[in-house]
Amino acid sequence: MGTIIPINKNRLQSTSTDTELMIYQFNDFQLDPSNFSLHKIGKFIAIEPQVFNLIIYLIENRMRLVTRDEIFENLWSDRDVLDATLSNHIKLARSILGDDGK
């Protein structure tokens, strides 16, 4: 995926989380968690909420191995979700980001 550069938005809101203060830039993409937006070369890309959340989770945990069970626990917590659902979300995220998995 290339280098991910977190950019601090310098918000002064004491109730904001660290994620809300960051915009992530990688390859031709800019991801802003606080505005739920993903742009590629300045163009907005529509993305399903859980796929967006998955991308954020993987970026925030990019320095370590993330298990499927951990993703289920953190993104779908109390809901029963099929393994195929996660596989489809990963496939969509890769497609949106132009990652062929190689």
Side-chain angles (χ1 to χ4, degrees):
M1 186 184 324
T3 303
I4 298 171
I5 303 169
I7 300 170
N8 192 327
K9 292 164 73 173
N10 286 328
R11 290 197 178 164
L12 299 176
Q13 300 171 350
S14 61
T15 58
S16 296
T17 65
D18 290 340
T19 299
E20 291 174 330
L21 297 176
M22 294 293 176
I23 294 175
Y24 298 101
Q25 289 186 334
F26 51 96
N27 299 340
D28 293 330
F29 295 94
Q30 187 175 57
L31 184 138
D32 185 346
S34 65
N35 292 324
F36 193 79
S37 66
L38 177 66
H39 291 83
K40 181 175 183 182
I41 314 173
K43 182 179 177 186
F44 177 78
I45 297 175
I47 186 169
E48 293 180 29
Q50 280 300 81
V51 174
F52 188 85
N53 292 337
L54 174 63
I55 292 170
I56 292 171
Y57 189 78
L58 293 173
I59 287 173
E60 290 175 345
N61 293 281
R62 66 189 175 275
M63 301 305 285
R64 64 183 188 83
L65 178 68
V66 177
T67 66
R68 294 176 81 82
D69 288 339
E70 180 182 346
I71 293 170
F72 280 124
E73 182 180 318
N74 285 284
L75 296 183
W76 283 280
S77 58
D78 296 330
R79 294 183 283 170
D80 289 329
V81 179
L82 297 174
D83 194 56
T85 300
L86 176 55
S87 294
N88 287 333
H89 280 71
I90 291 169
K91 183 179 177 180
L92 283 169
R94 283 185 162 167
S95 175
I96 288 166
L97 299 175
D99 180 3
D100 62 6
K102 295 181 183 178

